[in-house]
């Protein structure tokens, strides 16, 4: 008699809904097992046959960090395509490669931390390359397309599970884990939340990652908006994954809590479900959760909520239904068919071509087929990767692309590096020994869960000195930050043993070890290694970096830095001028290295091109007026475009970047990329990096009132287009616009018609124009396309701070159709019905402090550690708040302010009596110890109300009372009455 096989548990039954299966599995897990699931690296539960699981796989523009993969253009380049269909196909390719790579390497994760939907509010942000646009609608359109591609089209099972980064209002690397973005309600709803919301509502998002920074004084990992907004936008369980190390920051750098148990509990209860901290070591997070449970800061139900969300994602990924998962490669042939395919290679080229933006063209482009071309510049023979790139399988530089397209015999090249020797005080020179016998080893080919841990090479000989030395290629990437490259193409770098070697294929790494600074010292220079902070010295066993903090006289003498003489054998501009003089046209390829001066952890300080590259551009232009500037960069620049006959821009375009650029230069492809963000003319046009008030500071194309270098949406073509036959109507809660676009040129080309709106008679500051819709279309010469857009009238609403909700204002709205936000070809006006403007009902509701109309000298801070906003004056300044059209009705005779801290509150009515001054002079027991101050205030009818704040106090609420009304009472959390 044979024993019967026990029935499979319900969580293994694919016929049951995922929710029931999750509940069943959750009930079978012990508390210790569930607690262990809260770390990024969730262990296996062998008794239940549950595998280990890792949250997080970088896949911003290709599968990153895990070895060779197809590398597509940077995210900002994908944004510049303005093409959702293309970006969806890129997402599909990336997710297919992720599945194929996972079949060969289980370290590859399927919970992908992409895309980044932070808005490109400020062009000096170091991570500009990771976002799509400064506009929330364009960002959400591109992000939605990418996540749909990543998710796949199966109704039940997801190919990968995308997590959006970084929640919320995150645009600075400077003090990124301690700075707070002051985000007023209108900016929160109309700008920062909008990009996330539309993407989540589209249904292909598995979760979000909170940002390192604080918003309104509260760390994003405690954001009340996770529950109040994010999780109301979809019925799917959303998995919130912390950023790396951020849970510990709550105590260690932000000092928001005294203990890690408190911090971990607060983050979990706020909605964080997976803690990315201490690498693969889960023991500390597990211990903190256990401690929080023991102290009563958490309940098992809190843990269950987080684990349920993780399990929901795992079920959707097909982990528990391998026989039903349509995305799992079944054979080695399936893996091959999904990885680095000809279709993916073609798609990488197509994406790189569509990302090219023609900023200016006086007729020099496209280049004549028989033109003699000089390709010059520091990026002319480079195919740069960024921190979130995979390892290149294929590589195409601009020089290689032009060689291939025009023929090497018609092309000359000058990189433009300064060629130098470094002479020691003893009269010898730095010498690079040959690396005979050392194997070539490109970083990242084997993949790494954390590439920040990859060590530098120590198998190559350190530099020495000799009588003649080695000529090095010196590049100044801006602000005195240099790289030095040996003749064999390897960059000088410093490994953990402190020796200087020519060992790196490219600058890179979490801490870049390939950059130096030349510091004037007497008649020469000290050479400081920026990665360690130490100066370079010459020792008997080789050239090494001195300890930056020698603690004794003896060690200081032993570590005395070398004083070098810089012997320049050739200036880069001389080589460029020679090449330019002999050509019909010059293509200067300039831009940035994504690992230097503007990257994660480091913001830029200026929009200007680095001086070294400006030198090369001037030299090329002086030698040959037919000079084309091809910018390859992760962000915009400010430059003198008037003197150049043609300017193009593309983000770092991935593996096919050079081929794509050459095809555009040749006219094989008419450029049709469009700028996804404003290019400002000067640093003086920029707000402060930490000023997140896009409305008050007039930021982005939405509000900027100056003249940009190139406007949002701008991009030229080799064709011309005529717009005509505009029809616009507003009815049944919709706004419908239609028009025609005709290609009046003589080449097939893409055009990107854009629809903007402007409120003509707004009651509050509204955008100068705001993108409503766009479409990328392809037209043959003479062809006409009918283009129509249909949007809900609610898309024209704004966040009314008086009502604390969206409101569509009635009145006229201009509808603007054109080729950029400034290049308007057609316009019409429609009149919308809506909710009329009404005064603030302050007699009944009082005033939430953060609901101001205008402010100066204040910032929004946390009302409590869990929820709410208060307002405080910026340190050392008097804060002023303005609340317009406050309706006091039949009258009030008293005012009550809810404050914490010490200082004064001054309340005045426009056209009213003398200001009322209320003083809080009792030292508070903490920043959240609120008290109520009362004073007489007589008012009736409608008035603007102004509040002045002085001192170190927080204003939470203002209420009004009297004449038979208990008006404006505030029952805020944490108040003393």
């Amino acid at each position: 008699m044979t024993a019967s096989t026990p029935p499979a548990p319900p969580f293994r039954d694919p016929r049951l809904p995922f929710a029931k299966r999750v509940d069943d599995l959750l009930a079978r897990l012990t508390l210790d097992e569930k607690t262990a699931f809260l770390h990024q690296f969730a262990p296996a539960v062998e008794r239940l046959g549950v595998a280990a699981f890792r949250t997080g796989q970088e896949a911003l523009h290709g599968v990153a960090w895990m070895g060779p993969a197809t590398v597509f253009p940077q995210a900002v380049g994908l944004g510049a395509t303005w093409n959702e269909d293309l970006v969806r196909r890129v997402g599909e390719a990336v997710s297919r490669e992720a599945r194929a790579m996972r079949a060969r390497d289980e370290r590859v994760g399927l919970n992908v931390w992409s895309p980044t939907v932070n808005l490109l509010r400020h062009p000096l942000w170091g991570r500009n390359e990771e976002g799509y646009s400064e506009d929330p609608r364009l960002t959400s359109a591109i992000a939605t397309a990418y996540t749909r591609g990543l998710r796949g089209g199966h109704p039940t099972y997801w190919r990968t599970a995308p997590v959006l980064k970084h929640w919320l209002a995150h645009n600075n690397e400077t003090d990124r884990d301690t700075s707070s973005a002051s985000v007023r309600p209108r900016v929160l709803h109309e700008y920062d939340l909008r990009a996330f919301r539309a993407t989540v509502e589209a249904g292909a998002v598995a979760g979000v990652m909170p940002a390192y920074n604080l918003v309104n004084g509260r760390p994003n990992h405690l954001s009340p908006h996770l529950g109040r907004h994010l999780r109301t936008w979809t019925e799917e369980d959303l998995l919130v994954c912390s950023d790396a190390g951020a849970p510990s920051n709550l105590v260690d750098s932000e000092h928001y809590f005294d203990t890690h148990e408190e911090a971990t509990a607060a983050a979990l209860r706020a909605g964080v479900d997976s803690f990315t901290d201490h690498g693969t070591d889960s023991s500390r997070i597990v211990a903190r959760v256990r401690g929080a449970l023991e102290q009563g800061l958490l309940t098992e139900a809190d843990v269950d909520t987080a684990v349920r969300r993780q399990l929901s994602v795992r079920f959707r990924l097909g982990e528990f239904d391998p026989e039903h998962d349509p995305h799992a490669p079944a054979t080695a042939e399936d893996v091959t068919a999904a990885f680095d395919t000809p279709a993916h290679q073609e798609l990488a080229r197509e994406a790189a071509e569509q990302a090219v933006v023609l900023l200016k063209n006086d007729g020099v482009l496209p280049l004549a087929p028989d033109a003699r071309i000089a390709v010059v510049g520091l990026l002319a023979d480079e195919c740069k990767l960024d921190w979130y790139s995979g390892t290149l399988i294929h590589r195409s530089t601009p020089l290689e692309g032009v060689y291939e397209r025009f023929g090497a015999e018609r092309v000359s090249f000058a990189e433009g590096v300064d060629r130098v020797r470094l002479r020691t005080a003893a009269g010898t020179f730095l010498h690079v020994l040959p690396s005979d016998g050392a194997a070539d080893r490109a970083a990242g080919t084997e993949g790494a869960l954390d590439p920040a841990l990859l060590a530098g090479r120590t198998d190559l000989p350190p530099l020495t000195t000799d009588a003649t030395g080695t000529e090095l290629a010196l590049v100044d990437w801006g602000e005195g930050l240099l790289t030095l490259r040996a003749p064999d193409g390897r960059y000088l770098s410093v490994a953990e043993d402190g020796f200087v070697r020519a060992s790196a294929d490219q600058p890179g790494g979490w801490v870049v070890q390939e950059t130096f600074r030349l510091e004037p010292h007497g008649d020469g220079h000290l050479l400081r290694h920026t990665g360690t902070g130490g100066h370079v010295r010459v020792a008997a066993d080789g050239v090494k970096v001195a300890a930056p903090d020698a603690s004794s006289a003896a060690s200081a003498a032993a570590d005395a830095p070398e004083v070098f003489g810089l012997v320049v054998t050739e200036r880069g501009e001389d080589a460029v001028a020679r090449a330019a003089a002999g050509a019909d046209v010059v293509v200067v390829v300039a831009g940035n290295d994504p690992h230097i001066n503007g990257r994660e952890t480091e913001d830029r300080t200026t929009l200007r091109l680095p001086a070294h590259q400006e030198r090369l551009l001037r030299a090329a232009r002086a030698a040959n007026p037919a000079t084309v500037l091809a910018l390859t960069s992760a962000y915009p620049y400010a430059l003198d475009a008037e003197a150049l006959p043609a300017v193009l821009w593309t983000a770092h375009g991935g593996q096919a970047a050079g081929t794509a650029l050459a095809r555009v230069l040749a006219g094989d492809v008419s450029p049709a990329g469009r700028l996804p963000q404003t290019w400002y003319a000067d640093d003086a046009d920029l707000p402060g990096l930490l000023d997140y008030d896009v409305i008050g500071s007039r930021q982005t194309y939405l509000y900027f009132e100056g003249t940009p270098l190139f406007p949002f949406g701008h991009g030229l073509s080799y064709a011309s287009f005529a717009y005509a036959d505009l029809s616009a109507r507003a009815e049944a809660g919709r706004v419908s616009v239609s028009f025609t676009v005709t290609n009046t040129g003589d080449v097939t080309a893409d055009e990107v018609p854009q629809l903007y709106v402007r409120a003509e008679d707004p009651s509050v500051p509204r955008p100068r124009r705001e993108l409503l819709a766009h479409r990328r279309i392809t037209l043959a010469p003479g062809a006409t396309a009918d283009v129509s857009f249909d949007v809900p009238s609610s898309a024209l609403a704004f966040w009314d701070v008086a009502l604390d909700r969206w409101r569509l204002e009635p009145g006229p709205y201009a509808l603007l159709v054109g080729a950029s936000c400034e290049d308007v070809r057609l316009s019409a006006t429609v009149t919308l019905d809506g909710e009329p403007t009404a005064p603030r009902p302050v007699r009944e509701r009082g005033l939430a402090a953060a609901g101001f109309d205008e402010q100066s000298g204040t910032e929004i801070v946390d009302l409590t550690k869990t929820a709410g906003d208060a307002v405080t004056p910026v340190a050392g300044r008097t804060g002023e708040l303005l609340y317009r059209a406050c309706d006091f009705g039949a009258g009030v005779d008293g005012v009550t302010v809810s404050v914490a801290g010490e200082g004064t509150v001054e309340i005045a009515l426009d056209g009213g009596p003398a200001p009322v001054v209320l003083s809080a002079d009792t030292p508070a027991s903490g920043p959240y110890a609120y008290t109520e101050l009362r004073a007489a205030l007589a008012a009736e009818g409608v008035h603007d109300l102004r509040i002045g704040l002085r001192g170190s106090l927080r204003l939470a609420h203002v209420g009004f009372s009297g004449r038979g009304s208990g008006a404006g009472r505030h029952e805020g959390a944490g108040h003393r009455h």
Side-chain angles (χ1 to χ4, degrees), residues 887-971:
D887 187 358
F888 296 94
V892 299
D893 56 22
V895 62
T896 302
V897 296
S898 179
V899 295
E902 298 180 75
T904 62
V905 180
E906 185 177 283
I907 299 176
L909 302 178
D910 282 1
V916 173
V917 179
L918 301 95
S919 296
D921 53 12
T922 303
S925 58
Y928 312 111
Y930 290 89
T931 188
E932 291 194 341
L933 308 176
R934 295 179 174 84
L937 175 70
E940 62 182 32
V942 178
H943 298 270
D944 290 350
L945 183 142
R946 297 181 183 273
I947 296 180
L949 301 176
R950 294 179 177 83
S952 57
L953 54 73
R954 298 177 180 219
L955 174 66
H957 188 264
V958 181
F960 304 93
S961 59
R963 306 199 187 178
S965 126
R969 293 294 298 272
H970 176 56
E971 302 298 332

Side-chain angles (χ1 to χ4, degrees), residues 104 192 208 404 488 599 674 715 719 735 784 828 869:
R104 298 185 304 203
D192 288 298
V208 303
E404 180 182 4
D488 67 357
R599 49 160 291 168
R674 297 293 185 264
V735 174
T784 296
D869 295 328

Side-chain angles (χ1 to χ4, degrees), residues 502-513:
S503 60
D505 297 314
Q506 285 285 341
W510 187 249
V511 177
V512 177
Q513 301 293 347

Side-chain angles (χ1 to χ4, degrees), residues 574-735:
D574 296 336
V576 165
R578 286 197 303 272
D584 297 322
V585 65
V586 186
V587 178
V588 179
V589 188
N592 76 305
D593 185 310
H595 289 93
I596 302 173
N597 281 349
R599 49 160 291 168
E600 185 167 1
T601 74
E602 183 181 356
D603 296 309
R604 285 194 295 167
T605 61
T606 180
L607 293 169
R608 301 298 307 180
L609 268 174
H612 188 149
Q613 299 194 62
E614 289 189 331
R615 279 195 283 127
L616 302 184
L617 182 58
R618 285 195 300 269
R621 199 168 60 219
N624 191 329
T627 293
V628 176
L629 175 60
L631 289 165
T632 302
S633 68
Y635 35 63
Y637 286 108
L639 48 92
D640 180 11
E642 287 296 320
L644 294 164
V647 183
L648 305 100
W649 169 75
T650 179
H652 293 280
Q655 65 186 46
T659 298
L661 180 62
R663 283 170 52 81
V664 170
L665 292 172
D668 302 331
V669 177
S670 179
R674 297 293 185 264
L675 290 182
Q677 64 189 128
T678 302
W679 281 44
Y680 296 95
D682 192 88
D683 290 337
D685 293 331
L686 299 178
L689 184 66
L690 298 180
D691 184 351
Y692 280 74
D693 187 357
V694 296
I695 299 175
S697 299
R698 315 305 291 170
Q699 300 179 38
T700 76
Y701 86 96
L702 295 165
Y703 295 98
F704 181 60
E705 295 169 338
T707 302
L709 179 65
F710 299 110
F712 173 80
H714 172 70
L716 304 177
S717 171
Y718 294 153
S720 55
F721 298 91
Y723 288 65
D725 305 322
L726 177 65
S727 172
R729 66 183 186 276
E731 58 187 15
R734 312 289 298 182
V735 174

Side-chain angles (χ1 to χ4, degrees), residues 94-113:
V94 173
S95 63
R96 292 182 189 279
E97 293 203 352
R99 282 282 185 157
M101 293 169 72
R102 180 173 174 77
R104 298 185 304 203
D105 183 352
E106 290 188 351
R107 297 178 304 165
V108 177
L110 299 180
N111 169 227
V112 294
W113 287 350

Side-chain angles (χ1 to χ4, degrees), residues 26 37 98 154 175 226 243 249 262 449 455 526 530 535 549 607 630 739 780 849 896 909:
L26 192 63
F37 275 21
H154 193 276
D175 301 326
L226 292 171
D243 210 337
N249 290 347
E262 291 177 282
L449 291 175
L526 302 179
T530 57
H535 288 106
D549 54 351
L607 293 169
F739 52 94
T896 302
L909 302 178

